[in-house]
């Protein structure tokens, strides 16, 4: 597929929701993709097809349906392995989403490995899902949580990492590959290099990055990686945790129950092979199948094309929004260092009021702290407005957003 | 559902731009803070209480236009009232005053955060000054079930 404006416009017909109107018969302009993306027919149909034709529990029964369901479920694991370049499919664990993935690591790796006085390092631009699980763990273990700071351009201050690593007490460094507020793309290579030299493990929250750019785990060289299906055209309630096998083998089970066991006796149990040891209970089979369809869809477009399209949109949006008097954009303006996420504040108008007024024009943006209150404190703001783009967004939609700000200015007499 | 134009009328914008009773009371008899976890509206209310009457009330904090306007109106309503009268202030009194009766659910919390703070301040004060703890529990329950 050619990465031109028109070829991406063509994709819009695959997304039934984009045809609807909202509020006062206004065309929907959906710009909250960092929160969740819309779903193409290919994904919706795959879930319907699964329930209509193949529904059964997996990994157990011998009949035809069970075999088909198991095959469809496991096929997605292979698609994921190809999509982000993982050699060993046993390292891929299905979870509800990035939040559950990180909690799984904090519990199943953190509990046996973290001791009093150890340090876990996160960053000031993390989502709450990459802060709170580590607070819980470090509080329980009397360990310490330290932060890599964020500079005024919205980039991580890697000197902070050097200082913390120098203590010799760091066990894990965990960071987002792309900030969900600033869009900053983290220099993961450099962080991992430093951590490897210090013998420290790394966890990457890929929830914002995997949907928007080519990610190659083999090249990255991290130890844990998490992302969610619903931010990349897939259904809600399904995500992935990848863990390097040598580490996975040292982890305790997260949930006990069916499917994760080999033999259960009255007082002791032996565990199933990887990855099933970490997939207790009947999983979210239909949504795993839908996730597979989403990966097929993105693979067909090509992740380099996705990134290129978003660079084009983001460049255009920053240029247009910068011209709006009184509008402040957070983060770097160097497009090579940021994804399609733009957080802004408009004069002294509260982001909730901005979002509500432009909702009247059919525009869906997010307002609030974006589950990143530590970053809000660092930026010294209570909240921001955030527009975030995906494959189906157009320059015309950005024009609608920019024009709608005139209404905000009028209401608030700016 | 109320349309955008109905919500952002002159009075809301004026109150949000020039809030009434904005500030702090250094020698307050009671103060309370609360915030909306989802949107970050954050309000502190200080009250001066003499002879079971709210003789002065001020607020500070950060919130959207709806939150700031409703807090302004609430402080006006509260000032001069007896504690018993403050107890009886209802959400309809605030929403009605600003024509926000049909505000969408997600914004109701912006509108009523300050009422929750006033009621919480009241039970804090009564807890410190009243013997009848049943009364305080009832107030706590009222404050918790506002939305």
């Amino acid at each position: 597929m050619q990465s031109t404006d028109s070829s991406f416009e063509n994709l819009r017909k695959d997304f039934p929701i984009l045809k609807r109107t909202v509020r006062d018969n206004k065309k929907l302009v959906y710009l909250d993709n960092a929160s969740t993306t819309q779903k193409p027919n290919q994904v919706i149909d795959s879930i319907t097809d699964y329930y209509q034709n193949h529904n059964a529990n997996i990994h157990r029964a011998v009949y035809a349906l069970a075999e088909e369901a198991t095959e469809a479920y496991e096929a997605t694991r292979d698609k994921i392995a190809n999509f982000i370049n993982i050699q060993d499919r046993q390292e891929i664990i299905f979870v509800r989403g990035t939040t559950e993935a990180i909690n799984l690591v904090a519990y199943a790796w953190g509990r046996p490995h973290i001791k009093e006085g150890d340090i876990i390092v996160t960053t000031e631009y993390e989502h709450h899902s990459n802060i709170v699980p580590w607070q819980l763990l470090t509080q329980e273990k009397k360990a310490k949580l330290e932060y890599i700071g964020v500079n005024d351009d919205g980039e991580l201050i890697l000197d902070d990492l050097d200082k913390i690593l120098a203590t010799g007490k760091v066990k894990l460094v965990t960071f987002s590959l792309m900030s969900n507020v600033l869009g900053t793309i983290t220099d993961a290579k450099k962080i991992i290099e430093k951590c490897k030299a210090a013998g420290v493990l790394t966890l990457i929250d890929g929830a914002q990055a995997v949907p928007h750019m080519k990610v190659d785990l083999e090249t990255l060289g991290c130890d844990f990686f998490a992302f969610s299906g619903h931010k990349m055209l897939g259904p809600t309630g399904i995500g992935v945790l990848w863990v390097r096998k040598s580490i996975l083998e040292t982890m305790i089970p997260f949930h006990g129950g069916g499917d994760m066991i080999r033999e259960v006796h009255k007082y002791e149990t032996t565990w199933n092979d990887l990855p099933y040891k970490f997939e207790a209970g009947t999983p979210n089979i239909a949504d795993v199948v839908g996730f597979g369809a989403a990966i097929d869809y993105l693979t067909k477009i090509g992740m380099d094309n996705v990134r290129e399209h978003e660079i084009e949109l983001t460049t255009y949006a920053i240029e247009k929004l910068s011209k709006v008097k009184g509008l402040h954009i957070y983060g770097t303006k160097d497009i090579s260092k940021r994804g399609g996420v733009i957080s802004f504040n408009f004069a002294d108008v509260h982001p909730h009021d901005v979002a509500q007024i432009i909702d009247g024009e059919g525009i869906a943006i997010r307002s609030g702290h974006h589950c990143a209150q530590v970053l809000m404190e660092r930026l010294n703001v209570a909240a921001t407005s955030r527009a975030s783009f995906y494959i189906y967004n157009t320059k015309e939609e950005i024009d609608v957003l920019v024009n709608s700000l005139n209404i905000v200015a009028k209401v608030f007499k700016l | 559902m109320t349309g955008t134009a109905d919500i952002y009328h002159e009075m809301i914008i004026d109150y949000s731009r020039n809030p009434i009773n904005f500030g702090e009371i250094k020698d307050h008899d009671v103060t309370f803070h609360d915030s909306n976890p989802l949107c970050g509206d954050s309000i502190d209310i200080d009250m001066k209480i003499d002879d079971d009457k709210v003789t002065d009330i001020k607020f500070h904090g950060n919130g959207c236009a709806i939150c700031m306007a409703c807090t302004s109106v609430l402080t006006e309503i509260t000032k001069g009232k007896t504690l018993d009268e403050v107890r009886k202030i209802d959400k309809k009194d605030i929403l009605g005053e600003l024509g926000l009766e049909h505000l969408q659910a997600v914004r109701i919390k912006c509108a009523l955060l300050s009422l929750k703070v006033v009621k919480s301040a009241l039970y804090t004060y009564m807890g410190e000054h009243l013997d009848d703890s049943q009364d305080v529990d009832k107030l706590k329950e009222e404050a918790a079930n506002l939305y």
Side-chain angles (χ1 to χ4, degrees):
Chain A
M1 188 177 143
Q2 292 252 306
S3 171
T4 63
D5 240 21
S6 67
S7 61
F8 275 92
E9 280 246 40
N10 264 333
L11 300 177
R12 290 179 67 87
K13 66 175 185 335
D14 292 333
F15 294 80
I17 208 167
L18 298 179
K19 294 185 188 91
R20 68 162 285 187
T21 56
V22 290
R23 301 297 182 212
D24 197 10
N25 208 24
K26 293 284 178 10
K27 212 176 146 202
L28 172 68
V29 175
Y30 186 79
L31 299 175
D32 194 18
N33 295 288
S35 187
T36 196
T37 60
Q38 299 303 340
K39 321 303 174 196
N41 280 322
Q42 287 84 338
V43 169
I44 299 167
D45 293 347
S46 74
I47 296 168
T48 309
D49 174 64
Y50 170 77
Y51 279 127
Q52 285 183 341
N53 299 305
H54 312 287
N55 179 51
N57 213 327
I58 54 167
H59 297 151
R60 293 173 182 86
V62 294
Y63 52 83
L65 285 187
E67 197 176 297
E68 287 169 25
T70 304
E71 261 172 34
Y73 179 84
E74 292 300 334
T76 299
R77 212 186 297 272
D78 293 322
K79 287 172 187 178
I80 287 162
N82 283 329
F83 193 68
I84 54 173
N85 198 15
I86 294 164
Q87 301 306 316
D88 188 346
R89 69 192 305 281
Q90 284 192 306
E91 297 172 333
I92 298 168
I93 300 161
F94 285 122
V95 288
R96 278 188 297 160
T98 307
T99 298
E100 188 176 63
I102 296 173
N103 277 279
L104 194 160
V105 176
Y107 185 95
W109 173 81
R111 290 192 122 198
H113 290 284
I114 295 299
K115 312 252 173 326
E116 186 172 345
D118 286 346
I119 296 174
I120 287 172
V121 182
T122 184
T123 88
E124 283 182 344
Y125 67 41
E126 295 312 302
H127 189 281
H128 294 162
S129 61
N130 203 13
I131 292 176
V132 182
W134 306 116
Q135 287 177 345
L136 293 173
L137 177 67
T138 51
Q139 279 160 15
E140 182 188 318
K141 295 289 184 179
K142 296 193 174 104
K144 267 171 87 180
L145 184 60
E146 302 269 14
Y147 285 83
I148 302 172
V150 172
N151 69 20
D152 291 338
D153 284 331
E155 292 167 36
L156 294 181
I157 303 166
L158 294 190
D159 289 351
D160 290 353
L161 176 62
D162 294 333
K163 281 179 214 148
I164 308 167
L165 284 175
T167 62
K169 291 179 177 168
V170 180
K171 289 289 182 296
L172 176 76
V173 174
T174 180
F175 59 94
S176 167
L177 196 48
M178 188 194 290
S179 158
N180 72 316
V181 176
L182 303 168
T184 316
I185 298 168
T186 307
D187 191 348
K189 246 182 156 173
K190 201 174 257 175
I191 293 178
I192 293 166
E193 212 176 272
K194 287 173 189 286
C195 289
K196 275 195 171 154
V200 171
L201 299 182
T202 46
L203 185 154
I204 294 181
D205 167 358
Q208 295 296 333
V210 174
H212 303 282
M213 57 207 244
K214 179 97 195 112
V215 171
D216 184 324
L217 288 203
E218 183 123 312
T219 313
L220 274 174
C222 60
D223 301 290
F224 305 89
F225 192 92
F227 63 105
S228 300
H230 73 98
K231 291 184 197 289
M232 48 191 290
L233 310 178
T236 52
I238 190 67
V240 165
L241 170 66
W242 170 84
V243 184
R244 189 179 296 287
K245 202 176 205 172
S246 54
I247 298 162
L248 203 49
E249 282 165 344
T250 70
M251 286 163 58
I252 58 171
F254 185 39
H255 294 150
D259 221 21
M260 55 82 70
I261 52 90
R262 181 175 301 282
E263 281 178 37
V264 178
H265 305 287
K266 244 181 175 172
Y267 300 107
E268 74 270 3
T269 293
T270 51
W271 313 128
N272 198 349
D273 294 334
L274 298 172
Y276 308 112
K277 176 181 167 186
F278 294 99
E279 291 182 3
T282 298
N284 187 355
I285 307 165
D287 291 324
V288 166
V289 173
F291 191 10
I295 290 172
D296 288 343
Y297 192 93
L298 287 172
T299 305
K300 208 169 145 201
I301 298 168
M303 291 311 292
D304 288 336
N305 291 329
V306 171
R307 172 79 180 129
E308 206 176 304
H309 177 67
E310 289 181 21
I311 285 175
E312 212 173 307
L313 286 180
T314 310
T315 307
Y316 184 76
I318 288 182
E319 186 198 318
K320 289 277 171 171
L321 287 169
S322 301
K323 286 181 188 150
V324 178
K325 207 181 134 215
L327 190 136
H328 178 76
I329 296 173
Y330 298 95
T332 179
K333 290 197 177 162
D334 180 347
I335 300 293
S336 69
K337 289 183 182 170
R338 79 182 289 159
V341 179
I342 300 178
S343 274
F344 62 91
N345 262 309
F346 191 23
D348 62 344
V349 183
H350 195 281
H352 267 199
D353 297 318
V354 173
Q356 174 131 32
I357 290 170
I358 70 174
D359 167 60
E361 301 305 300
I363 303 165
I365 63 161
R366 183 72 179 275
S367 60
H369 53 58
H370 317 293
C371 296
Q373 284 185 317
V374 171
L375 179 62
M376 294 293 117
E377 261 175 41
R378 165 65 185 84
L379 297 174
N380 202 20
V381 293
T384 70
S385 297
R386 181 187 71 184
S388 51
F389 313 124
Y390 210 27
I391 50 173
Y392 36 69
N393 289 125
T394 65
K395 286 182 182 171
E396 289 72 37
E397 289 181 313
I398 291 165
D399 290 338
V400 177
L401 168 69
V402 173
N403 290 334
S404 73
L405 294 173
N406 289 327
I407 303 170
V408 178
K410 213 175 133 198
V411 169
F412 277 87
K413 300 168 187 163
L414 296 178
Chain B
M1 172 105 43
T2 312
T4 296
D6 304 326
I7 295 172
Y8 292 97
H9 54 73
E10 198 81 8
M11 211 160 128
I12 297 269
I13 303 299
D14 285 351
Y15 272 133
S16 76
R17 275 282 140 85
N18 306 296
I20 296 171
N21 299 316
F22 193 82
E24 290 177 54
I25 303 173
K26 287 262 177 307
D27 59 338
H28 57 253
D29 292 304
V30 66
T31 182
F32 204 86
H33 164 86
D34 205 352
S35 60
N36 281 332
L38 287 176
C39 63
D41 287 340
S42 168
I43 293 288
D44 285 272
I45 291 182
D46 302 339
M47 291 198 282
K48 190 93 192 120
I49 296 169
D50 294 305
D51 289 337
D52 283 348
K53 216 178 222 186
V54 178
T55 52
D56 198 8
I57 178 167
K58 285 206 184 321
F59 80 98
H60 57 278
N62 192 300
C64 62
I66 307 286
C67 176
M68 298 307 258
C70 287
T71 309
S72 287
V73 165
L74 174 64
T75 55
E76 276 299 276
I77 292 175
T78 306
K79 206 188 266 183
K81 283 211 162 44
T82 65
L83 297 187
D84 207 43
E85 286 168 331
V86 174
R87 262 188 91 151
K88 287 177 186 147
I89 298 175
D90 187 76
K91 57 184 174 186
K92 286 186 203 125
D93 301 329
I94 315 297
L95 299 175
E97 188 71 25
L98 286 164
L100 296 172
E101 293 93 337
H102 304 292
L103 200 61
Q104 69 204 91
V106 70
R107 299 304 294 279
I108 282 281
K109 290 190 179 190
C110 308
L112 296 182
L113 174 64
S114 52
L115 185 56
K116 193 176 165 207
V117 174
V118 162
K119 299 247 173 179
S120 302
L122 194 65
Y123 75 64
T124 304
Y125 180 84
M126 290 172 96
E128 286 164 3
H129 295 86
L130 284 185
D131 299 331
D132 188 355
S133 66
Q134 273 187 341
D135 249 22
V136 176
D137 287 343
K138 215 173 147 204
L139 257 175
K140 275 186 187 173
E141 206 184 311
E142 267 174 48
N145 293 323
L146 255 182
Y147 301 148

